[in-house]
Amino acid sequence: MATRSEDFAGLNVALITPIRDGQVDTDALQRLIESQIAAGATAVCPVGTTGECPTLSHAEHERVIAASVEAAAGRIKVMAGTGSNCTEEALRLTRWAAKRGADAALVVAPYYNKPTQEGFFQHFKALAQAVEIPICVYNIPGRTAKNIEPETIVRLAEFKNITMVKEATGSLDQASQIIARTDLTLLSGDDSLTLPLLAIGGRGVISVVGNIVPADMKALCDAFDAGRLDEARRWHYKLFALCRDMLGLSTNPIPIKAAMKLLGRDTGELRLPLTPLGPAEEEKLRKTLTEYGLLS
């Protein structure tokens, strides 16, 4: 069965926000997007969790979205992070992203203030009624402190431009309920769960590891779509240790930025309160990158 946003099926990459000498480096961001276009990614997702959105100023947040749309130039889709725990702020930013040419909005569940399920519903309803672009509901209770329950997501599916869910609960039961009861396009929010979610009807991934190996993650999605299940499993197991380390060695995006620095693709700079990997964790990461074949 076709889902609502099949044009976002496959590999969507949760971009880092490159920082150099404390400032957002839009030139490096644009080079990163060029690499995603070359790899054949479906979309880039700037200023999400991986993009350090909580530590960017409003002006920086807008600059990253604008630079991403400019770099994409219609060659790859842009799903811009526009969420907030303040509905008015999420409204403002989502409207702004739509006006600047973003193809979709990635809207995280309101965090910290722990809304009721009715509060979640009213928050996303306000956005859905204010903009025309597709909205991806980003459910990541490990960050936001509260789950958007499947029943609430089913209610949200009443709005035609709520078209996607970034599923980062880690629960295949929750994902199964959403897929069974809606035609929303479900995208994995955990790289290592991409294949299991595809197996139950998910349509792709919003990937962290795609910052460094987009072609490999795309190959997994493409193999599954083509019915080459053995090939998809081989990619899953090849990618597994890398995916595990990106979310397991420390808080995202600390490991992915460390990996990109080791590979000579980024400065590795983070904004406080995020701090770099410790020596032991960096050594584990170096070993994983070497075993993968990315470092000699």
Side-chain angles (χ1 to χ4, degrees), residues 4-189:
R4 288 192 193 180
S5 275
E6 285 292 304
D7 50 342
F8 284 92
L11 172 65
N12 306 274
V13 179
L15 297 178
I16 67 159
T17 298
I19 297 170
R20 182 179 294 276
D21 299 327
Q23 303 301 311
V24 171
D25 186 346
T26 53
D27 290 339
L29 175 68
Q30 290 175 334
R31 289 193 298 272
L32 178 57
I33 292 171
E34 287 295 335
S35 73
Q36 299 302 329
I37 294 167
T42 298
V44 290
C45 305
V47 281
T49 304
T50 310
E52 293 179 81
C53 60
T55 58
L56 300 183
S57 70
H58 290 173
E60 287 174 328
H61 198 128
E62 292 175 0
R63 189 157 73 249
V64 170
I65 293 173
S68 298
V69 171
E70 180 184 338
R75 297 172 296 161
I76 190 172
K77 291 187 179 298
V78 177
M79 187 193 305
T82 63
S84 172
N85 61 340
C86 168
T87 302
E88 284 301 316
E89 173 60 19
L91 270 169
R92 185 197 67 77
L93 193 51
T94 304
R95 283 182 172 130
W96 190 92
K99 187 175 180 180
R100 286 306 298 255
D103 299 287
L106 177 65
V107 181
V108 71
Y111 42 87
Y112 186 78
N113 44 22
K114 297 178 72 173
T116 63
Q117 294 303 308
E118 182 63 21
F120 284 132
F121 177 79
Q122 294 296 336
H123 176 84
F124 283 99
K125 175 184 176 181
L127 270 60
Q129 292 180 333
V131 299
E132 295 294 323
I133 62 171
I135 292 170
C136 180
V137 176
Y138 180 9
N139 194 19
I140 182 165
R143 294 269 185 170
T144 64
K146 197 162 185 182
N147 186 37
I148 307 176
E149 298 295 337
E151 293 76 14
T152 303
I153 292 174
V154 170
R155 287 181 70 198
L156 289 172
E158 297 169 11
F159 302 100
K160 62 180 175 54
N161 61 325
I162 292 182
T163 66
M164 295 174 275
V165 176
K166 180 180 178 182
E167 169 52 49
T169 67
S171 170
L172 287 172
D173 283 359
Q174 170 137 342
S176 295
Q177 291 180 70
I178 293 165
I179 292 166
R181 298 177 62 189
T182 75
D183 63 349
L184 297 173
T185 302
L186 189 136
L187 302 169
S188 174

Side-chain angles (χ1 to χ4, degrees), residues 219-296:
L220 185 159
C221 295
D222 289 351
F224 183 89
D225 257 6
R228 301 191 302 270
L229 302 186
D230 287 345
E231 181 184 339
R233 277 192 291 268
R234 284 195 297 273
W235 279 114
H236 169 77
Y237 286 114
K238 177 174 174 59
L239 284 156
F240 181 75
L242 201 59
C243 295
R244 176 201 63 205
D245 283 3
M246 289 308 109
L247 296 179
L249 286 177
S250 188
T251 306
N252 180 39
I254 293 170
I256 188 65
K257 280 204 156 181
M260 293 181 78
K261 182 179 182 181
L262 288 170
L263 297 172
R265 303 184 195 178
D266 185 64
T267 63
E269 281 190 44
L270 300 150
R271 284 267 175 90
L272 284 171
L274 298 182
T275 53
L277 282 182
E281 290 77 17
E282 184 173 316
E283 189 53 39
K284 288 178 185 176
L285 178 59
R286 186 184 296 275
K287 183 173 184 287
T288 299
L289 293 170
T290 301
E291 290 174 350
Y292 198 90
L294 292 167
L295 281 177
S296 58

